[in-house]
Amino acid sequence: MKNFYVNDHAQNSGEHEVHQDGCTHLPKLENRTYLGLYPDCDEALKEARNIYPHVDGCYYCCNACHNG
C-alpha cells in the first residue's frame, strides 16, 4: 500500500496528475490533496475522479496509469 495524492493544479491539458509518496514531481503540500492508501495507481485514480473529472497518472511514479 502506498500513499497517493492528486495535484490541485491542472496541467495544460486540463488533467490533474496523481502521484505517490517519494515522487520527484510530487507537488508542494499546499498544491495537492491526499487521496489515501491504495495498492496501485488504478485505485488512486478512481478516488481522484471523485474530486476532479479529468485525471492522469504521473509519468514518473504512476506510469502504469499514465495516458499521456
Side-chain angles (χ1 to χ4, degrees), residues 9-55:
H9 296 284
Q11 302 177 86
N12 292 336
S13 62
E15 295 175 319
H16 294 263
E17 278 191 328
V18 171
H19 299 268
Q20 62 180 298
D21 266 345
C23 179
T24 57
H25 292 81
L26 188 64
K28 292 181 181 181
L29 188 59
E30 63 269 15
N31 297 328
R32 67 185 184 212
T33 298
Y34 179 66
L35 297 173
L37 280 169
Y38 295 97
D40 55 47
C41 59
D42 287 321
E43 294 300 316
L45 259 71
K46 287 178 188 175
E47 180 62 29
R49 285 188 189 101
N50 291 323
I51 301 168
Y52 300 111
H54 303 290
V55 297

